[in-house]
Amino acid sequence: MSSDYINALLKKPIKRTPVWVMRQAGRYLPEYRHSRKKAGDFLTLCKSPQLACEVTLQPIERFDLDAAIVFSDILTIPDAMGLGLYFSEGEGPKFSHPLNTLKSIEKLAKSSVGDKLTYVSDAVSMIKKSLNGKVPLIGFSGSPWTLATYMIEGGGSKNFSKAKSLMYKNPAHMHQLLDKLALAVIDYLNGQIESGVDSLMVFDTWGGLLNKPSYEEFSLRYMCKIVEGVRREYAGKTIPITLFTKGGAMWLEQIADSGCDAVALDWTTEIKDAQQRIGNKVALQGNLDPCVLYASPERIRTEVQKILTQFSGNTGHIFNLGHGILPDINPEHVRVLVDSVHEFGVQNNN
Ligand code: CP3
């Protein structure tokens, strides 16, 4: 299957600029809310391959998107490691057994978590079958650092003081944890590849919390291990990998040097600056501010056009938001976004 999304990641010729949306299957879609209600809660939705498949396809059926992303969550790995993930309404993710002692880090199973995550590989197989080659399927994981922050904090946090204090007070234990997570992530992503995903993305949502040396030591180093550890060629196809560090503008060169195929940008970097810095080495994904989708259709079209005209060249750009879509966005505004990328982006119909 030749697709503009994969070709753009590999900097090969494309027919049109591809676009997908982070969290494209989510609460802003009424059909998602319906499926979630049917499941009872978010985690049951993730753990039912049939329902995960159903919601993965919803944005693909509604909009002219160029890729699908497996419906799951980055926190399934810590859940499989025994931390007891749950979501309390309006409060985001929580763990009933956070890593709050050094012993709990040492005790954390090193063994593969793959057998506890078969619901994800089952979902991938089912989604691939249902997509029937229409668009490629993205598999994903959290970065070890981002997973570690949730596991130590026991959920989200304002300043991540527990995770950062472990990093400063006891770096050896932090490295022990990050090592275990990197192995689990590599296993998990390779499992997704074997089940059929066409590309990978690693979400490092909280790498931007770190200063320069800490980012390199505690976040980037482990993403590099993942880039090295996953299968980049499988069943005759190249599996491109995209790295996303939110707030990562300072490290674009180092991220591009990891050996990844693409760097995903949040909205704080101008894409032309990013392209000047690293554009020859890797493809770029992004980077519309998700809040632009609150504005009028005219304004959305203008902002999309601004990003597209900044990017020079005929391939190597995958349009996306700079972070996940927010739950109160009007779905019709997503249509405006997707259609205007195709209208104003690269068009090569010969
Ligand atoms: O992009 C997609 O459509 C695929 C699905 C996907 C979800 N989470 C579904 C989800 C992906 C790729 C993720 C990644 C994820 N999960 C990240 C990294 C990306 C990012 O946003 O920075 C993080 C940090 C998480 C952890 C997580 N999961 C949080 C903080 C929350 C609560 C956030 C919120 O908006 O309430 C979740 C829940 C979650 N994951 C939802 C969805 C659709 C909302 C759950 C619901 O239906 O109530």
Side-chain angles (χ1 to χ4, degrees), residues 23-25 27 32 36 42 69 72-73 87 150 205 323:
R23 295 268 175 105
Q24 61 192 20
R27 285 165 295 181
Y32 170 83
R36 186 175 176 271
F42 169 70
I69 179 162
S72 187
D73 199 82
F87 283 80
Y150 283 103
T205 307
H323 198 213

Side-chain angles (χ1 to χ4, degrees), residues 145-146 149 153 157-161 163-164 167-168 204-212 214-215 245-248 251:
W145 166 255
T146 292
T149 59
E153 299 288 335
S157 166
K158 270 217 172 84
N159 50 21
F160 293 86
S161 55
K164 287 175 81 176
M167 176 183 88
Y168 286 118
D204 184 29
T205 307
W206 301 121
L209 298 172
L210 297 169
N211 66 15
K212 195 163 189 290
S214 306
Y215 174 76
T245 291
K246 184 162 172 280
W251 304 291

Side-chain angles (χ1 to χ4, degrees), residues 77 139-142 182-195 197 199-202 226-227 229-231 239 241:
I77 287 186
F140 71 90
S141 150
L183 288 176
V185 167
I186 290 168
D187 240 38
Y188 180 53
L189 291 178
N190 280 333
Q192 292 184 39
I193 292 171
E194 281 157 28
S195 305
V197 301
S199 77
L200 298 174
M201 177 152 169
V202 177
I226 292 167
V227 170
V230 295
R231 303 180 112 163
I239 313 286
I241 181 163

